[in-house]
């Protein structure tokens, strides 16, 4: 076969033509990439260089392994094939480019090397199949939130073209058709160069940016951004927050998972990220970023449930964007009245209910025993009760059951009485960092006086804050010894300190609280408890990582529903539970869930067919010595 | 007449206000207890006709002045001050309403006599006056004594039943003149009427609140009727709004509005904390519910364990009957 | 426009209030003091006026526990000065408060003359009279109460005060300046001020203080006794058939002046 690089075309040797094309393509590519690098350089710094090993691990799993794409298996496989074809084709392309530009190099073309040629042909064919699948999905079986853009069509076309030109060229080579081979060789190189030049201008920028995005992604997804006064304009975001825009593949997975979006709230996480991309493309264009491009309603709609980030194949970070903008709105005092009321109550009384701190432990009055005051005597378990469990009359029933179960298990436990304050987890998610600091400070001060070995709480929000966000404060708090009640119950049952005297034989389903599951990976303990009680667990379609948020998180429980809500998240969730065959109880492990779902039962009219119970209520039911089997009577 | 009890006859837009009758009822008791006369003071411009309704008083002092055309507290106070200085009444009862709120305090300061505010009750004890005053949002009640001197008493709405302050007797009227500044420092300009559109439930004195216990939208007519005879509006709990029985503007509670009416009648509402948050400050809460353990009974002043669908129409009838 | 906002700290009724052994005063030991709610609205209205017409907002408040934090929050919200009247005994009632304020305003430098003096229309402890009208009398200034909005056409000699009347009707009054206005509610709910901003203000600004004048007379009212009315833990249940119950409700409504 003739060497395309040394063949003469219109009097010019091939390599000269190639040089010209390459320079043009790399120039176009380079100026755009340089623009992005320069632009991001003007954003706020954020340290994402630590723990390199873990970061490499992320790249292996999420870039080379494409893990999250398989959450949607059909397109997952297709994308996997296209991706790996891309890896081989990119290698081959650069290899051939070098050889083509410098023909005197003593190396063969990539496709003249046997194994490489085989891989290219094999992946080429598989990738073509992948493209057909992708095209069918995009144009015929379009899932919600996937758009049929001109850009996507162009890219799919270009990929197909570069595959086809290569495969036809390869065939021509084996069949001995040098003319066709030369045409195809050039067609392939031009397509790839064109692709390269176009890439940074297109949505497939993700192909370039995603691996970096993954490498620099947060090792504690959902963690609040570094200290700031919030962000409303380009320079106020960190470079990594902005980078999400470039890495986004516009796949719509985040929207499909988002409770705010699905309920008809103003927020679409995908749009949000897209707006950030536009911001990076042209900072300052399109009006004030926060206010005109992104409306405050969008920012307030988020429940910080982490579903979007859990699902995003390129590990984009939506929550930091939301939190930065909330911080800004809070700093401007732009806070809707009910939320403002909650903040003022937290500041003044240490609880969002606006009740007296002295009433925090009022629920203990009905108990037949006295709970130790952990500020006064040492205890093994310090129970941080949390606001809803302390003040909401519906949850108090469960709180009392918790106390009885702990007592029955012979646990040495105590509470902080009025020394406890709201943990600040949710208020931090509303962007009021200063208030979080105040609450954390007061709580750490209160526990400093207490002696204990472990901390336990029934509230996942409190759990998350105590475990992960109290540590950098003072008092040597590490968060290592913090347990959720489901973890403790599981231990107590396993160690035989509690036992199911009466096996419960119903069929139940379990709702994973966002701040227990996605945020902290606690999925098995509650399930093991249910199992130990003898109940049969039937999972909802959306469970564990994909569990659907109840809608209360991120401070949403303090905010008004936006007008025009379609279906509240909690309503969607109870319908999902009620739709399971034979299930009559939705088991929860979070005080707010109890409130949200009991309310949703009323609004959906499902009261008769489904009951919402806390895990602890079931434990008490099963573990109660027989004469007290009615002790969980509900108010 | 020196030593008599006076009542400021509040009126607005051509009508004596309910408070006036309440004050007359209370004033009558005090005057009788002291064995003195009860006089009503009517300040206005072209309003002398209203004296007809003040028959519970022994007589009416009627002041007509162009500056008193609309209730400007300063002008009312200036007129009262002149009268008090001339005639030295034993005590003046002034209503604590939006209309007259500051008048009592202004007067007491100008005449340099003691005032007692927020009175929910005034009694004659050993020939002197004692008042019970509501402080700190009702958490504390103070009993104060006024001595034998002239005093000004600011009376909360609802201290007595307005009913007991009405009378068919036409009282003698004594026209009195006062001099008021030609160029007042505060000048009435105009009224701003509430915007048309849906009623603003935060502005209603009476609310009939409905919950899911009303069973269906069709039954809301029962609540509407009752609200109408009571001169109030209907509001609801969130599920009622969610189901579209009432517009969002009528939702009471955490995600709705907070209300503070004189009467909140909750029919078929369980009393969830989110709801209670929005209505717990109502002056009078009456709950109708079929469940004896419904938490609404913990915030209500009066409870009725019955079917709301039966109680509401019965109440509508009764109120109609009472109003005649 | 030069605006003074008078703020008072009053007992928070979220906490249980206790009566001292003399039976006539509040036990101050366990009290939590918070800014009077309508005073907060007065500040908001003042800040809105300043935003529209420029000028200066000065908050004046008698010293009380927790007052410093509150005053810093006022500064963080946008007030220009915060003046603490130090050396005061806690007093109850509007009369003593008005006398104290009047003396401080007239003697402490740099407070008067002001165009407007805004304060809450009432506080829950104004037992012997409302502070604002007494103050207006002492300073010989015009007074309007239940104000929900103040507007001015630039720097003039008058403002328009909107006063709330029953049935959602409001009325506009022309008020000569300077004047005292008793604010019922600001045009919009008082703004939120984030904790971080208050902390920043604590570092960058300071509170002024004015000495309380000696010998402000207390009120003339004699308190015989204070008591806590029995809180109704549970509703009083009305029994009977619907007609009987309806009759009973009617009586209650009539007695309460609702009918
Ligand atoms: C974040 C959040 C915000 C919320 N915000 C609000 C809010 O702003 N406002 C609000 O109201 N709710 C709100 N809720 C909902 C609240 O929790 C309750 O679900 C709701 O208030 C219950 O409404 P209800 O009392 O009408 O219904 P239910 O609780 O179902 O009560 C119906 C009552 O009617 C009684 N009843 C039945 N039949 C009769 C009859 N024939 N006669 C008399 N009584 C009868 C029953 O005994 C029962 O007590 C919110 C919930 C959440 C989680
Ligand atoms: S965190 Fe949850 S609510 Fe917020 S954008 Fe992501 S998916 Fe939506
Ligand atoms: S942010 Fe992630 S999940 Fe959302 S569209 Fe972009 S790539 Fe997909």
């Amino acid at each position: 076969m003739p060497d395309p690089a040394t063949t003469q075309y219109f009097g010019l040797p091939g390599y000269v033509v190639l040089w010209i094309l390459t320079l043009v393509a790399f120039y176009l590519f380079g100026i755009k990439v340089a623009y992005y690098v320069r632009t991001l350089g003007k954003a706020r710094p954020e340290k994402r260089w630590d723990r390199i090993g873990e970061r490499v691990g992320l790249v292996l799993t999420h870039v080379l392994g494409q893990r999250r794409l398989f959450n949607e298996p059909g397109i997952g496989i297709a994308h996997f094939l296209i991706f790996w074809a891309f890896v081989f084709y990119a290698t081959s392309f650069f290899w051939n480019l070098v050889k083509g530009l410098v023909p005197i190099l003593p190396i063969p073309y990539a496709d003249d090397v046997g194994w490489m040629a085989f891989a290219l042909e094999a992946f080429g064919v598989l990738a073509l199949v992948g493209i057909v699948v992708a095209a069918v999905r995009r144009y015929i079986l379009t899932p919600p939130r996937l758009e049929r853009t001109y850009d996507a069509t162009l890219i799919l076309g270009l990929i197909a073209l570069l595959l086809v030109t290569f495969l036809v060229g390869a065939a021509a080579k084996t069949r001995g058709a040098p003319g066709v081979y030369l045409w195809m060789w050039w067609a392939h190189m031009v397509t790839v160069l064109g692709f390269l030049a176009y890439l940074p201008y297109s949505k497939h920028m993700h192909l370039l940016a995603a691996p970096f995005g993954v490498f620099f992604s947060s090792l504690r997804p959902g963690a609040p951004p570094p200290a700031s006064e919030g962000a409303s304009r380009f320079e106020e975001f960190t470079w990594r927050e902005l980078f999400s825009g470039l890495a986004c593949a516009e796949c719509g997975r985040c929207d499909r998972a988002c409770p705010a979006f699905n309920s008809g709230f103003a927020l679409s996480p995908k749009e949000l990220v897209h707006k950030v991309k536009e911001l990076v493309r042209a900072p300052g264009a399109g009006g004030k970023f926060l206010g005109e491009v992104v409306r405050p309603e969008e920012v307030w709609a988020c429940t910080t449930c982490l579903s979007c980030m859990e699902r995003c194949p390129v590990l984009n970070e939506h929550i930091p964007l939301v939190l930065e903008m909330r911080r800004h709105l809070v700093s401007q005092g732009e806070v809707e009245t009910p939320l403002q009321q909650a903040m003022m109550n937290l500041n003044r009384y240490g609880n969002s209910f606006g009740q007296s701190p002295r009433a925090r432990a009022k629920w203990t009055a009905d108990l037949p025993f006295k709970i130790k005051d952990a500020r006064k005597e040492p205890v093994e378990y310090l129970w941080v009760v949390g606001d809803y469990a302390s003040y909401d009359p519906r949850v108090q029933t469960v709180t009392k059951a918790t106390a009885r179960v702990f007592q029955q298990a012979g646990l040495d436990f105590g509470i902080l009485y009025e020394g406890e304050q709201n943990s600040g987890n949710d208020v931090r998610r509303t962007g009021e960092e200063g208030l979080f600091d105040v609450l954390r400070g007061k709580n750490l001060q209160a526990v400093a006086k207490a002696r204990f070995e472990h901390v336990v709480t029934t509230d996942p929000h409190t759990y998350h804050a105590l475990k992960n966000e109290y540590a950098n404060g003072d008092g040597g708090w590490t968060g290592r010894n913090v347990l959720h009640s489901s973890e403790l119950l599981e231990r107590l049952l396993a160690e035989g300190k509690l036992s199911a005297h009466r096996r419960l034989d119903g069929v139940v389903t379990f709702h994973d609280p966002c701040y227990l599951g996605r945020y902290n990976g606690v999925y098995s303990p509650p399930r093991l408890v249910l199992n130990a009680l003898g109940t049969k667990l039937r999972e909802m379609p959306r469970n564990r990582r994909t569990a659907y948020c109840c809608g209360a998180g991120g401070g949403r429980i303090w905010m008004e529903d936006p007008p025009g809500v379609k279906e509240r998240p909690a309503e969607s969730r109870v319908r999902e539970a009620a739709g399971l065959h034979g299930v009559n109880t939705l088991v929860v492990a979070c005080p707010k869930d109890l409130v949200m779902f009991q309310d949703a039962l009323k609004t959906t009219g499902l009261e008769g067919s489904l009951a919402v119970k806390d895990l602890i209520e079931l434990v008490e039911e099963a573990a109660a010595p027989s004469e007290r089997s009615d002790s969980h009577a509900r108010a | 007449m020196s030593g008599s009890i006076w009542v400021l006859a509040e009126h607005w837009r051509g009508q004596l206000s309910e408070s006036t009758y309440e004050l007359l009822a209370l004033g009558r008791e005090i005057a009788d207890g002291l064995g003195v006369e009860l006089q009503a003071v009517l300040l206005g411009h072209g309003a002398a006709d209203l004296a007809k309704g003040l028959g519970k008083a022994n007589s009416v002092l009627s002041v007509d002045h162009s500056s008193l055309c609309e209730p400007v507290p300063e002008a009312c106070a200036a007129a009262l001050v002149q009268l008090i200085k001339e005639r030295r009444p034993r005590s003046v009862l002034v209503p604590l309403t939006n209309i007259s709120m500051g008048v009592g305090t202004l007067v007491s300061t100008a005449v340099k006599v003691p005032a007692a505010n927020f009175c929910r009750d005034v009694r004659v004890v050993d020939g002197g006056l004692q008042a019970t005053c509501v402080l700190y949002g009702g958490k504390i009640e103070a009993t104060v004594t006024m001595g034998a001197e002239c005093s000004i008493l600011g009376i909360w709405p609802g201290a007595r039943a307005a009913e007991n302050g009405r009378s068919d007797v036409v009282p003698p009227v004594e026209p009195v003149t006062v001099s008021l500044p030609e160029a007042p420092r505060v000048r009435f300009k105009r009224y701003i009427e509430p915007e048309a559109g849906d009623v603003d439930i935060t502005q209603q004195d009476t609310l009939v609140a409905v919950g899911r216990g009303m069973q269906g939208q069709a039954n809301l007519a029962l609540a509407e009727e009752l609200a109408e005879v009571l001169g109030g509006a209907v509001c609801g709990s969130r599920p009622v709004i969610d189901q579209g029985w009432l517009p969002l503007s009528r939702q009471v509670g955490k995600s709705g509005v907070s209300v503070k009416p004189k009467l909140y009648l909750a029919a078929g509402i369980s009393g969830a904390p989110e709801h209670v948050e929005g209505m717990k400050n109502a002056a009078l809460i009456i709950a109708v519910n079929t469940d004896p353990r419904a938490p609404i009974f913990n915030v209500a002043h009066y409870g009725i364990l019955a079917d709301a669908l039966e109680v509401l129409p019965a109440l509508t009838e009764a109120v109609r009957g009472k109003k005649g | 426009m030069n605006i003074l906002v008078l703020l008072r700290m009053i007992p928070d009724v979220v906490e249980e209030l206790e009566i001292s052994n003399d039976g006539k005063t509040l036990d101050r030991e366990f009290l939590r003091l918070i800014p009077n709610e309508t005073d907060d609205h007065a500040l908001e209205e003042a800040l809105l006026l300043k935003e529209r017409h420029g000028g200066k907002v000065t908050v004046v408040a008698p010293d009380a526990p927790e007052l410093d934090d509150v005053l810093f929050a006022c500064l963080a919200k946008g007030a220009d000065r915060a003046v603490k009247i130090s050396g005061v005994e806690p007093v109850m009632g509007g009369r003593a408060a008005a006398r104290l304020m009047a003396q401080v305003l007239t003697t402490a430098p740099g407070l008067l003359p002001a165009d407007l003096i805004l304060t809450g229309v009432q506080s829950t402890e104004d037992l012997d009279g409302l502070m604002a009208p007494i103050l207006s009398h002492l300073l010989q200034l015009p007074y309007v109460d239940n104000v929900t909005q103040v507007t001015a056409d630039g720097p003039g000699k008058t403002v328009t005060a909107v006063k709330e009347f029953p049935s959602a009707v409001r009325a506009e009054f022309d008020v000569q300046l300077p004047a005292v206005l008793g604010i019922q509610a600001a045009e919009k709910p008082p703004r939120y001020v984030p904790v971080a901003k208050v902390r920043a203000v604590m570092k960058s600004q300071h509170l002024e203080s004015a000495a309380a004048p000696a010998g402000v007379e207390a009120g003339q009212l004699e308190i015989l006794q204070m008591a806590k009315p029995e809180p109704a833990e549970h509703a009083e249940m009305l029994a009977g058939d619907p007609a009987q119950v309806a009759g009973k409700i009617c009586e209650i409504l009539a007695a309460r002046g609702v009918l």
Side-chain angles (χ1 to χ4, degrees), chain A residues 369-372 379-383 402-414 454-456 483 485 488-489 491-493 495 497-498:
Chain A
F369 51 90
K370 176 143 174 43
I371 298 183
K372 281 188 184 173
V379 292
E380 191 181 348
Y381 287 90
L382 171 65
W383 177 12
T402 310
R404 287 192 298 261
V405 168
F406 285 175
Q407 182 81 358
Q408 191 188 332
L411 215 63
D412 175 23
F413 69 103
H454 310 277
V455 178
V456 63
L483 290 173
S485 49
L488 177 58
L489 290 172
R491 270 192 214 174
L492 294 174
L493 283 161
E495 290 166 3
K497 300 217 170 102
L498 274 179

Side-chain angles (χ1 to χ4, degrees), chain A residues 23-332:
Chain A
L23 286 176
V24 171
F26 272 77
Y27 174 74
L28 291 173
F29 176 84
I31 50 170
K32 196 67 186 173
V33 170
Y35 165 81
Y36 283 132
V37 172
R38 241 183 307 120
T39 308
L40 288 179
K42 290 184 210 140
R44 256 172 56 218
E46 179 171 4
K47 194 174 151 234
R48 288 290 176 92
W49 286 103
D50 54 336
R51 293 149 75 185
I52 300 284
E54 282 173 59
R55 298 187 176 284
V56 171
L58 285 175
V59 172
L60 292 176
T61 332
H62 293 286
V63 181
L64 303 187
Q66 305 262 296
R67 199 191 83 196
R68 290 194 179 165
L69 283 149
F70 292 101
N71 288 342
E72 295 178 11
I75 190 65
I77 294 169
H79 191 276
F80 183 85
L81 294 174
I82 300 174
F83 169 79
W84 275 99
F86 168 81
V87 170
F88 279 97
Y89 276 73
T91 316
S92 138
F93 166 75
F94 282 106
W95 180 333
N96 288 356
L97 188 65
V98 170
K99 172 73 182 162
L101 292 173
V102 193
I104 49 167
L105 281 181
I107 49 166
Y109 281 106
D111 40 313
D112 290 336
V113 178
W115 60 269
M116 191 68 187
F118 173 75
L120 287 169
E121 281 169 30
F123 271 107
V125 173
L126 289 172
L128 272 176
V129 175
I131 285 185
V132 172
V133 172
V136 166
R137 172 169 175 271
R138 191 170 289 265
Y139 299 106
I140 302 170
L141 306 170
T142 324
R145 306 307 294 157
L146 187 69
E147 273 143 49
R148 295 180 221 175
T149 56
Y150 159 75
D151 191 60
T153 313
L154 184 67
I155 289 287
L156 273 184
L158 279 179
I159 299 177
L161 189 61
L162 71 87
L163 292 172
V164 168
T165 48
F166 178 86
L167 292 174
V168 173
K173 196 154 58 170
T174 41
R175 301 269 173 85
V180 176
Y181 169 71
L182 277 184
W183 268 106
M184 288 299 135
W185 193 91
W186 280 104
H188 180 79
M189 290 310 267
V190 169
T191 307
V192 179
L193 283 169
F195 189 84
L196 185 73
Y198 180 58
L199 199 58
Y201 300 83
S202 87
K203 107 176 178 92
H204 273 238
M205 174 73 186
H206 87 266
L207 204 139
L208 213 63
F212 295 97
V214 169
F215 182 83
F216 291 119
S217 70
S218 172
L219 299 174
R220 210 158 67 65
S228 74
E229 285 177 13
S232 66
R233 309 175 277 141
F234 180 86
E235 319 80 78
E236 292 168 344
F237 289 97
T238 77
W239 68 270
R240 181 59 188 82
E241 286 157 6
L242 296 168
F243 197 83
S244 288
L246 300 184
C248 177
E250 291 171 34
C251 69
R253 281 177 175 75
C254 48
D255 276 4
R256 292 194 284 279
C258 175
F261 178 79
N262 290 318
S263 289
F265 295 9
L267 173 67
S268 146
K270 176 183 150 190
E271 282 299 314
L272 183 66
V273 170
H274 187 73
K275 288 170 181 172
V276 168
K277 180 179 195 160
E278 295 299 324
L279 180 68
V280 180
R281 280 192 172 158
K288 271 170 41 191
F289 185 69
L290 177 54
E292 283 168 37
V293 180
V294 176
R295 286 164 299 133
E297 306 92 273
E298 297 175 52
V299 173
W300 290 121
C302 175
T303 71
T304 68
C305 72
L306 203 61
S307 296
C308 49
M309 293 181 54
E310 177 67 41
R311 224 66 74 78
C312 178
V314 301
L315 274 58
N316 269 344
E317 300 177 10
H318 311 71
I319 292 177
L321 287 170
V322 166
L323 295 192
E324 290 280 19
M325 288 189 274
R326 285 185 176 183
R327 283 180 190 173
H328 177 83
L329 291 170
V330 167
S331 79
Q332 300 304 302

Side-chain angles (χ1 to χ4, degrees), chain A residues 338 353 388 392-394 557-561 563 568 571 595 599 601-603 605 607 634-635, chain B residues 212 238-239 241-243 248 251 253-257 270-274 277 280 291 293 295:
Chain A
F353 289 75
Y388 267 78
D392 190 296
R394 287 161 298 195
I557 200 157
W558 300 318
M559 298 178 221
E560 285 174 19
D561 279 343
R568 294 194 186 93
E571 293 168 347
V595 173
D599 176 56
L601 286 185
K602 291 181 186 170
T603 51
E607 260 172 320
R634 311 175 50 109
Chain B
R212 288 202 314 153
R238 197 175 78 178
I241 275 74
D242 275 359
Q243 291 172 55
L248 184 62
Q251 181 174 327
K254 187 186 179 76
S255 34
V257 295
S270 61
E274 290 86 1
E277 195 176 318
K280 58 174 189 282
D291 176 4
R293 288 180 312 150

